[in-house]
Amino acid sequence: MSDARFEDGADSPLALMVAEAADVEVISALLQDAVFAGGDMRYDAKRREFALLLNRFRWEDRDAAERTGRAYERVRTVLMFRDVLAVQTQGIDPKDPDTVLSLLAISFEPGEDGAGRVVLTLAGDGALALKVEALNADLRDVTRPYVAPSRKVPDHGN
């Protein structure tokens, strides 16, 4: 069965580039409540890249799903930061590949000359802080959407 929301051969229906603080707010909203395993994050110091493979709720499709009665969806997506000088963790064990982490928000704390810190705030008082030389990232969906197992919209326990 084909999905009209995807062009033939396209494997990334959502692809965004991040180059300024306002872009970080957009990806933060799209990735709110995304989950990932500890083994789904990688930092390559030599290439200065940090990547996360996330399972995100498709917030951008929520209203259309409600209007049409279609099930809510999730999709696997990759968030890649470049020009990363260092990665710090707080409240998580990055060496435990089985830890499941939930992303609450992403923020950018600017420094001098475009440098700064990207902070990924996680549920349970965890965080990842990326020291970046410049804000340079992209977000790309890498699978077709699938029905959210809970069939519900994330609600932060409300």
Side-chain angles (χ1 to χ4, degrees):
M1 174 182 212
S2 68
D3 189 329
R5 292 170 294 167
F6 291 81
E7 298 173 6
D8 288 339
D11 63 354
S12 55
L14 179 68
L16 301 172
M17 291 176 39
V18 178
E20 56 188 51
D23 299 336
V24 174
E25 293 174 17
V26 172
I27 64 166
S28 180
L30 288 168
L31 293 177
Q32 182 180 4
D33 296 306
V35 294
F36 62 99
D40 289 338
M41 60 180 160
R42 296 280 187 273
Y43 176 52
D44 185 332
K46 186 175 181 178
R47 294 182 67 183
R48 299 184 339 161
E49 294 179 337
F50 179 80
L52 278 176
L53 176 62
L54 302 126
N55 176 342
R56 74 174 183 87
F57 183 81
R58 294 190 67 232
W59 291 105
E60 73 276 17
D61 187 57
R62 176 186 173 186
D63 292 342
E66 287 177 355
R67 274 194 315 275
T68 62
R70 188 169 31 80
Y72 298 118
E73 296 174 330
R74 286 193 168 263
V75 65
R76 296 284 279 172
T77 192
V78 172
L79 177 61
M80 171 76 76
F81 287 93
R82 292 172 188 79
D83 302 318
V84 177
L85 303 173
V87 177
Q88 296 176 314
T89 61
Q90 174 188 324
I92 63 169
D93 180 1
K95 295 185 188 234
D96 183 354
D98 298 323
T99 298
V100 176
L101 303 164
S102 180
L103 183 63
L104 299 178
I106 303 173
S107 59
F108 178 64
E109 300 167 356
E112 295 182 23
D113 299 326
R117 254 174 38 120
V118 175
V119 178
L120 293 88
T121 303
L122 307 172
D125 295 326
L128 294 165
L130 313 178
K131 181 180 177 184
V132 295
E133 185 174 48
L135 190 52
N136 179 5
D138 61 66
L139 175 72
R140 182 175 306 275
D141 287 348
V142 293
T143 65
R144 291 184 182 270
Y146 57 90
V147 173
S150 69
R151 298 191 174 268
K152 297 178 182 176
V153 174
D155 68 358
H156 306 288
N158 294 330

